[in-house]
Amino acid sequence: MTHRHPYPPAQLQEVLSRNHTAVHLIAALTRSTPAHAPIWEHLDTVLYDARALVVELSHVRTELDKTRHSRANLLAAAQATLAAAHDGEADPLWYVRDEVAAQQANAFPRGAGGDAQ
């Protein structure tokens, strides 16, 4: 069964595009009404912060996707282990050990600060 999110994901590229447009509008307003420069500077800072949040959200989504993939693989290995045990295989835990080893190898690749174990 596929799990669906209750809210559709924000279209980050569209958000960045609107942010870019707003930054240019603020720049034009700053030039046309210099008396309000502190207001425009504040809004420009807020828009910069929003852009940084979009970038961070993109990174978090990537990590979440990786975590979901790892969890699905572990669940599949557990199901294979249960089926193998039911079928009387000699080493049903092989599926879980293999998946755990694969995930550890991906999490700690050789040369990334130490040897994989």
Side-chain angles (χ1 to χ4, degrees):
M1 178 177 178
T2 303
H3 297 284
R4 298 192 185 275
H5 298 288
Y7 307 105
Q11 299 301 318
L12 298 183
Q13 192 57 47
E14 291 177 19
V15 171
L16 287 175
S17 179
R18 288 190 297 270
N19 182 283
H20 182 75
T21 300
V23 167
H24 285 286
L25 289 171
I26 295 297
L29 288 168
T30 300
R31 288 189 301 275
S32 67
T33 56
H36 297 123
I39 295 170
W40 305 133
E41 288 174 13
H42 179 72
L43 291 174
D44 193 51
T45 300
V46 169
L47 290 171
Y48 179 82
D49 290 345
R51 186 173 194 82
L53 288 173
V54 167
V55 170
E56 179 65 21
L57 178 58
S58 179
H59 293 303
V60 168
R61 281 185 177 178
T62 299
E63 288 302 313
L64 181 58
D65 287 344
K66 289 177 186 177
T67 301
R68 285 182 174 148
H69 184 79
S70 294
R71 180 187 176 276
N73 285 345
L74 283 171
L75 180 59
Q79 290 170 334
T81 295
L82 292 173
H86 182 265
D87 292 346
E89 286 188 24
D91 186 16
L93 286 176
W94 177 87
Y95 299 98
V96 170
R97 283 194 306 269
D98 183 59
E99 182 56 31
V100 168
Q103 288 193 21
Q104 285 177 336
N106 288 336
F108 307 106
R110 293 189 184 277
D115 290 337
Q117 296 185 9

